[in-house]
Amino acid sequence: MALLVAICGAVGLFSYASMDVFLTKQLDTQLDEASHRASVFGRPSPGDSGGRTDPLEARGQGIGTLNARILGGAVSRAGFLAGDATRKSLSPDDDHVLLGLTPNGVPVDRTLSAGGYRLTAGRTPYGDVIVTGLPLAEKQNTLASLVWTMVVVSAGGLIVIGLAGTALIRRTMKPLEQLSEVATKVSRLPLDAGEVALAVRVPASAAHRGTEVGGVGYALNQMLDNVSNALEARQLSEMRVRQFVADASHELRTPLTAIRGYTELMRMTEQFTPDGEKSLARVQSQSERMTTLVEDLLLLARLDEGQPLKLSEVDLTQLAIETVSDEKVMAPDHVWQLELPEEPVVVRGDSAQLHQVLANLLSNARKHTGAGTTVVTGVMRSADGSAVVTVTDNGDGIPPQFMNKVFSRFARADAARKNPAATTAPTSRSAISRSPWAPAPATTATTAEGTSGLGLSIVQAIVAAHGGTVEVTSRPGRTEFAVRLPTSPPVT
């Protein structure tokens, strides 16, 4: 559009300049003829020593023609023909303009009391200077009409071209808009996990190979088909893995229960040496640890499958009191505190699973902080109506480079994996399920108190199943896990 405006402007300027030159040349021709008539008519008769005739009375002089005679440095008979063909005299101020003309026959533009004039002065053979002029009004009116015509025509043309161009561009770009709409919809789909229905495609009208845009649409549909097949294959693989984990966990529960039962029976009925007692205790503790791991894997598999929750009204304040009381018994060397509101905070959810969320968070703080650590459990109702449960401790904190791995499955120190059958394991934050950073030398605990690295991933899965979120913030001296739950979980 800017280029069209520039072209119209250039054409207008060229037309104006051409018309101005043409009209000026035409006016100069007429002026030369009028000047010749005035000079011939004003010639004195032979032997006539009287006054000169008025050159304005020459035959053929048109309306608006101006004539003046300069004789002896004085202007005489200066006037012009008015619209009614009568003679009008010029003002005395105009005499100064006329006297300032050079009698060389070159036309010049001057402004007089009667308006703008094209003037020429020429010296006659009999010694007089005859001044002749023609009005510029007609030329100026013609140029003004040309300007207005160019402006109106150019503006109208630009408007028509602009509307037609806009319609054509929109029609041409419509397939691109469809491509953009499809790409936007795909970008908003949750493709990272779970079953994904990638049914969005570019319409057939915008996905044919006959045009450049159609070729892009066709290629986009081919890409979406490929991505959809890959997602289906990934989902099928995930479902097989989940089913395998669930089946394996379920099948392992029976032999593990038998191992634990026979271990208890042997301890009660058989006599063992001290070394035998230790070995049997190790068998029992490892079977219990394995049972816990199997139960965690089975729970995660069920959560991944999206099994429905057993919903009921859950009082989070009462749940916090009971869970903290259990932890006080298990870790009397920690300082356990509660921050509860005066009114109960009730949500609709799965009571057993929410209890496990809070138990895992408190167990996490208990296992991976030293004696004397203060752990504060808080429950409150936020401004938007959601329930917020926080577990805060004043331990060493989590290094920043491991914050993004906190909720990953089996996220724990590599040292804990090297020898899971060891009799002792580090209880510093390096061994927790929060993240696998290097273990720090600290107090020890039995392997029964070790971690599988699934605790926080279970927390995240349960909270997500309830439509909530869990976040962690940490710095030296303060680590806080915050669980935010809606009043009611989303309907699935």
Side-chain angles (χ1 to χ4, degrees), residues 319-330 336 338 362:
L319 190 65
I321 293 173
E322 294 174 356
T323 311
V324 171
S325 298
D326 294 340
E327 294 297 329
K328 285 183 178 180
V329 175
M330 300 181 67
W336 303 93
L338 284 168
L362 292 174

Side-chain angles (χ1 to χ4, degrees), residues 453-471:
L454 296 175
L456 293 181
S457 58
I458 291 175
V459 169
Q460 186 181 51
I462 293 176
V463 172
H466 284 75
T469 59
V470 56
E471 299 175 350

Side-chain angles (χ1 to χ4, degrees), residues 286-298:
Q286 290 303 309
S287 64
E288 291 175 353
R289 181 174 180 271
M290 188 63 181
T291 301
T292 302
L293 178 60
V294 168
E295 294 291 342
D296 289 346
L297 288 172
L298 185 59

Side-chain angles (χ1 to χ4, degrees), residues 78-111:
F80 65 95
L81 291 178
D84 55 358
T86 59
R87 187 182 191 282
K88 298 291 184 180
S89 299
L90 296 178
S91 67
D93 294 336
D94 296 334
D95 294 347
H96 298 288
V97 177
L98 299 179
L99 290 172
L101 296 175
T102 302
N104 56 4
V106 178
V108 293
D109 293 340
R110 293 291 186 270
T111 301

